[in-house]
């Protein structure tokens, strides 16, 4: 056992810089961005527009900023990629020498450590940043709307992460709980006039109930069988919503769902509205910004609860279940209940997100809850790295925000023709992204697992040791 | 004959059939409280199947498996749901092919083993999520217990490493530590010395003796290595083709012609090994 340890460790330490030097990478990326800035001044910064006989110079500094940001991001990503590859090549694979695979903090982990406060800060300040950049409330409407959309998917990804990432149960019908939550709010508020804050927990409870209903028949299923049954469950819920016309109004959906209020104060123009109460000038954007912070709070709640659960016995039992169900049973863990709680809690957060969706849209129909949604949410979880919270958030931003950003890059239309709508290529991009991921990071963006408890020293666990579960 | 007067485990007329194959045939034996009982026999004799019946992974075709608690009450293991055999009847086991939670750290493995008491302490999660209740103290206690067993199995320095990264011998000991963290009355070990080198095997003997002596845990042991069996066990039960062929103290079993024949009929190297080790 000693011989390989000597050879491998000596081969590893001196030659390759396995540690990711974040400061140097940032510096280098900033340099690259500066060069891009310099280059784009003559090329991009001004556009010449002809109007009649006159030629106008139109400044396009926002384009320059986007270019620089892209160059910076790509360069940083390149550094991270190179560093992680170097580290991977330097460390022998676990099958070669089981003793020596120390889970050194990798580039992505370091990036995530620095990334969490960064992302949180950006998320909290987002509406203000957008307001400043766009120079007005109405101008920032699109961006705040996009922020809300992304955060909804972040929350859904985190909810599904409990079932798929922690408990290792493949759930292809997660959108069913999203639908249950949305219809719960829509029906409770339109029929009984209950307020959003009362409906929210009710929607969560109802979704959790349906999570358990789904959980029971699938308890004994594994792998492909589990995937098929959950897929069917998602479709059944959608078909019930379409066909139970008396209750759900069928395919026509439910409209005029009560809008969100600021803890009872409606966002209306007149007397007693939000703007009036706080002495502001009325603007529809107030409601949007409120919705933005509402979904941010809900998403952070999901994250907070998940992080807490991971350190509680249920969370550890979920992960143990993913690792080895038989060993769990031999240690006195009731695997049935453990799986059901995973389904129920995951579904509950789906239900919360659903009622948020209903209150935001004001209109819901079964078509919002098709299989594609489930697939997107699952793709977010898988791409993010199963079980990794920050990875899921990044994947949601990339998968949901990416196509929208592409749409805004006008030069793409110059390249691909004026009718080009990247949103129509969303699935293509998804597919390409997934294939690329499976080639380069088959275990997701952030595959390392963080231990839930430590005795002396925090060491991340290499993704190659973590099992994916049996379903 | 402690196993007759104060048995912790009483197996009666246990039969297990897989289709036409009779893996265990009308097996009856007792394991004494505080004893190290060895279950031996050639490969395929049905030893692991006996363990799987005791620990609830298989439902026996016929027969009864009774666990006698210290207060004299009986629990019929074949009627308990699988997870209750550990939690209510306090029977823990290890596996012939090690089953650790390889993506979790060594310490986490030992905390998962204390799931049920921790679950109660966290108010079945409801209090724990809110940060209420005495979960923090309970977790500290659980970590202390884990530290004790890490010390005992000499794994303290690997506490924060993933279990899948440990060398084979350490994984075997970790599995024993994990089983002991459930605070069992009866510990069932399926070939714990398989794949260990002689030094590790000696350490294992000491560990098992100390578990028996310091914790009052009775041990039921499947073992191929005759030196281990003869040295540490108080009582040996020999299986061949699912049938019990001998039952007694190591000395009695060693001299039993049926046992020698069973091993003779198997495999030359194994016979030589047995003969060398028991000095027959
Ligand atoms: N689940 C099962 N299905 C069918 N046959 C089994 C099963 N488990 C064990 N057996 C058979 O029972 C016999 C005893 O196996 P086992 O208990 O593993 O032997 P060992 O004494 O080597 O541990 C073998 O013939 C094995 O093939
Ligand atoms: Mg066996």
């Amino acid at each position: 056992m000693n011989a390989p340890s000597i050879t491998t460790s000596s081969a590893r330490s001196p030659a390759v810089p396995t540690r990711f030097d974040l400061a140097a990478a940032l510096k280098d990326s900033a340099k690259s961005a500066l060069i891009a800035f310099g280059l784009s001044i003559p090329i991009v910064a001004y556009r010449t527009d002809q109007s009649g006989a006159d030629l106008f110079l139109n400044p396009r500094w926002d384009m320059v900023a986007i270019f620089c940001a892209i160059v910076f991001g790509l360069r940083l990503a390149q550094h991270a990629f190179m560093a992680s590859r170097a580290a991977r090549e330097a460390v022998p694979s676990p099958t070669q020498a089981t003793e020596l695979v120390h889970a050194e903090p990798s580039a992505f982990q370091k990036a995530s450590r620095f990334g969490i406060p960064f992302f949180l800060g950006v998320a909290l300040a987002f509406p203000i940043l957008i307001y400043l950049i766009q120079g007005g409330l109405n101008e920032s409407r699109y961006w705040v709307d996009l922020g809300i959309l992304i955060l909804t998917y972040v929350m859904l990804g985190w909810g599904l992460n409990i079932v798929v990432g922690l408990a290792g149960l493949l759930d292809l019908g997660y959108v069913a709980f999203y639908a249950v939550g949305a219809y719960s709010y829509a029906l409770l508020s339109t029929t009984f006039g209950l307020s959003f804050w009362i409906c929210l927990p009710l929607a969560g409870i109802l979704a959790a109930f349906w999570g358990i209903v789904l959980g029971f028949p699938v308890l004994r299923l594994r792998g492909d069988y589990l995937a098929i049954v959950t897929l069917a469950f998602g479709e059944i819920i959608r078909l019930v919503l379409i066909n139970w016309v008396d209750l759900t109004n069928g395919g026509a959906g439910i409209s005029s769902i009560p809008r969100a209020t600021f803890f009872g104060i409606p966002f209306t123009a007149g007397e007693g509205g939000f703007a009036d109460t706080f002495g502001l000038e009325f603007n529809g954007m107030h409601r949007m910004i409120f919705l933005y912070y509402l979904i941010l709070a809900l998403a952070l709640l999901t994250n907070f609860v998940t992080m807490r659960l991971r350190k509680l016995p249920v969370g550890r039992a979920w992960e143990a279940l993913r690792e080895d169900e038989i060993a769990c049973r031999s240690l006195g863990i009731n695997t049935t209940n453990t799986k059901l709680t995973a389904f129920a809690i995951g579904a509950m957060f789906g239900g919360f997100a659903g009622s948020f969706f209903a209150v935001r849209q004001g209109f819901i129909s079964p078509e919002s809850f098709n299989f594609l949604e489930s697939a997107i949410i699952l793709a977010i979880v898988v791409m993010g790295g199963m079980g990794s919270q920050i990875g899921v958030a990044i994947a949601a931003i990339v998968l949901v925000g990416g196509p929208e950003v592409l749409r805004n890059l006008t030069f793409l239309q110059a390249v691909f023709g004026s009718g080009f709508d990247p949103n129509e290529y969303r699935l293509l991009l998804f597919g390409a992204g997934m294939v690329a991921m499976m080639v380069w990071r088959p275990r997701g963006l952030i595959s390392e697992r963080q231990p839930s408890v430590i005795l002396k020293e925090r060491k991340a666990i290499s993704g190659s040791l973590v099992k994916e579960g049996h379903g | 004959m402690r196993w007759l007067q104060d048995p912790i485990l009483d197996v009666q007329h246990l039969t297990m059939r897989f289709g036409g194959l009779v893996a265990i045939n009308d097996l009856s034996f007792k394991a004494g409280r505080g004893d190290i009982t060895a279950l031996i026999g050639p490969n395929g004799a049905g030893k692991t199947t006996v363990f799987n019946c005791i620990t609830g992974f298989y439902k026996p075709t016929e027969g009864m498996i009774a666990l006698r608690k210290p207060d004299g009450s009986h629990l019929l293991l074949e009627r308990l749901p699988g997870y209750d055999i550990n939690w209510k009847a306090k029977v823990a086991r290890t596996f012939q092919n090690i089953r650790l939670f390889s993506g979790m750290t060594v310490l986490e493995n030992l905390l998962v083993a204390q799931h049920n008491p921790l679950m109660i302490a966290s108010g079945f999660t409801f209090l724990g999520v809110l940060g209420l209740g005495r979960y923090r103290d309970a977790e500290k206690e659980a970590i202390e217990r884990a530290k004790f067993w890490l010390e005992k199995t000499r794994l303290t320095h690997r506490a924060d490493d993933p279990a899948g990264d440990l060398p084979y011998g350490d994984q075997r000991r970790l599995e024993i530590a994990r089983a002991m963290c459930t605070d069992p009355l009866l510990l069932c070990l399926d070939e714990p010395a398989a794949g260990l080198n002689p030094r590790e095997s000696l350490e294992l003997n000491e560990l098992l003796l100390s578990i028996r002596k310091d914790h009052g845990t009775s041990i039921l042991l499947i073992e191929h290595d005759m030196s281990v069996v003869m040295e540490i066990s108080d009582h040996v039960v020999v299986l061949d083709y699912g049938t019990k062929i001998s039952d007694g103290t190591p000395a009695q079993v060693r001299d039993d012609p049926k046992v020698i024949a069973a091993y003779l009929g198997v495999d030359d190297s194994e016979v030589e090994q047995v003969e060398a080790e028991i000095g027959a």
Side-chain angles (χ1 to χ4, degrees), chain B residues 238-277:
Chain B
V238 190
L239 276 187
D240 192 20
Y241 293 111
T243 314
K244 185 169 87 172
I245 55 169
S246 186
D247 184 343
T249 62
Q252 287 169 341
V253 167
R254 179 172 53 194
D255 298 332
D256 191 331
K258 274 204 241 160
V259 177
I260 297 168
Y263 275 89
L264 272 172
V266 183
D267 170 335
D268 283 342
S269 69
E270 210 162 325
V271 175
E272 275 165 27
Q273 202 188 343
V274 173
E275 280 179 350
E277 277 160 6

Side-chain angles (χ1 to χ4, degrees), chain A residues 382-464:
Chain A
V382 172
M383 268 187 88
M386 303 216 289
S388 160
Q389 297 290 95
I390 185 80
V392 168
I394 295 173
I397 293 171
V398 171
L399 286 187
V400 181
E404 293 293 322
V405 171
L406 286 185
R407 175 154 58 186
N408 275 29
L409 296 180
T410 36
F411 72 85
L412 279 183
Q413 297 200 345
V415 179
F416 294 108
S418 60
F420 178 74
D421 178 7
N423 222 24
E424 287 177 3
Y425 293 83
R426 195 154 120 157
L427 281 180
L428 188 70
L429 290 173
F430 258 28
M434 292 300 267
V435 170
M437 285 289 301
M438 291 308 115
V439 172
W440 283 303
R441 292 194 74 83
R443 298 198 141 246
L445 283 172
I446 296 184
S447 59
E448 284 91 357
R449 179 181 169 269
Q450 293 293 331
S452 66
V453 58
I454 44 171
L455 199 59
K456 290 196 187 72
E457 185 188 353
R458 177 171 293 280
K459 300 177 189 167
I461 296 165
S462 143
S464 56

Side-chain angles (χ1 to χ4, degrees), chain B residues 18 21 23 41-50 58 96 190-191 222:
Chain B
F18 297 107
L21 179 97
N43 265 329
K47 306 178 296 291
T48 301
T49 309
V50 173
Y58 294 159
Q96 187 169 350
D190 198 342
E191 305 203 14
I222 294 179

Side-chain angles (χ1 to χ4, degrees), chain A residues 98 101 308-309 311 313-314 316 323-324 326 329-334 449 452 455-457 459 461 467, chain B residues 57 83 86 99 101-105 108 111-112 115-116 119 125 129 135 139 159-162 165:
Chain A
T98 42
V101 186
R308 259 270 158 88
L309 289 174
K311 294 182 197 299
V314 246
R316 288 205 195 100
E323 298 283 322
D324 194 322
I326 288 180
R329 251 203 310 157
S330 83
L331 296 172
I333 294 175
N334 184 336
R449 179 181 169 269
S452 66
L455 199 59
K456 290 196 187 72
E457 185 188 353
K459 300 177 189 167
I461 296 165
K467 302 221 168 63
Chain B
F57 285 95
Y83 51 86
N86 180 279
R99 285 183 174 274
F101 306 121
S102 56
M104 302 175 84
T105 66
E108 284 178 310
L111 288 188
V112 172
H115 175 80
N116 285 315
M119 200 69 184
T125 310
V129 165
Y135 176 66
E139 192 185 43
D160 293 318
D161 287 321
D165 258 359

Side-chain angles (χ1 to χ4, degrees), chain A residues 56-73:
Chain A
F56 291 100
L57 274 184
N58 270 340
R60 296 193 298 173
W61 292 106
D62 50 341
M63 284 288 280
V64 176
I66 290 173
F67 269 125
C68 293
I70 289 175
V71 167
F72 182 82

Side-chain angles (χ1 to χ4, degrees), chain B residues 20-33:
Chain B
L21 179 97
V22 184
I24 312 172
N25 184 16
D26 196 26
L27 170 71
S28 300
F29 74 94
K30 290 184 162 95
R33 188 181 307 283

